Amino acid sequence: MLRWLLSVIYFTVGCIHLRSPEAFLPIVPAWVPSPRETILLTGVCEIIGAVALFVPRLRWLAGLALAAYAVAVYPANIKHALEGVKVGGTALGWGYHAPRLAFQPVFVWWALFAGGVVDWPWRKAR
């Protein structure tokens, strides 16, 4: 169930990145090269990772890659929060940003768990 849900989330967000990359441009940190292309690439990576979670041979790698992705995009989430960047003409407050920032480590764990990289907290009996 958790794998399905994570896959749906990443697939959906990946499609949004591909459909509307301009919406994400304001939150990309200035040091990121080729921001539009980076957004498009992240969308492709999200979709591939979401699908790969269901390919047994690729599942472990997909979990690792999606966890690394969640770490890599964290600076954009921080910029979005600290600078109050408007996305789609809307500025989201700390009621959105605080949980979003706090939940990012959960996304890292979730990707690792969905990929079978970790089994904590439901350790298999040995």
Side-chain angles (χ1 to χ4, degrees):
M1 177 66 176
L2 287 176
R3 183 179 305 131
W4 276 99
L5 183 56
L6 184 67
S7 183
V8 166
I9 290 168
Y10 271 115
F11 189 87
T12 301
V13 174
C15 289
I16 294 168
H17 276 95
L18 294 178
R19 187 188 70 223
S20 307
E22 289 75 20
F24 295 93
L25 285 173
I27 68 170
V28 176
W31 50 265
V32 173
S34 306
R36 186 176 191 286
E37 291 75 15
T38 298
I39 292 165
L40 293 170
L41 178 62
T42 61
V44 170
C45 290
E46 287 169 316
I47 292 168
I48 290 171
V51 172
L53 283 175
F54 293 98
V55 179
R57 280 190 359 230
L58 300 175
R59 184 173 296 147
W60 190 87
L61 183 58
L64 217 60
L66 289 172
Y69 170 83
V71 171
V73 300
Y74 202 56
N77 297 335
I78 292 169
K79 177 183 178 182
H80 191 194
L82 294 180
E83 296 181 10
V85 177
K86 290 183 178 182
V87 174
T90 303
L92 301 171
W94 279 99
Y96 166 82
H97 290 299
R100 176 70 180 91
L101 292 172
F103 196 74
Q104 198 71 6
V106 175
F107 268 111
V108 173
W109 167 82
W110 194 357
L112 295 172
F113 183 78
V117 178
V118 300
D119 60 4
W120 176 88
W122 299 285
R123 296 201 193 303
K124 296 176 183 122
R126 301 203 195 276

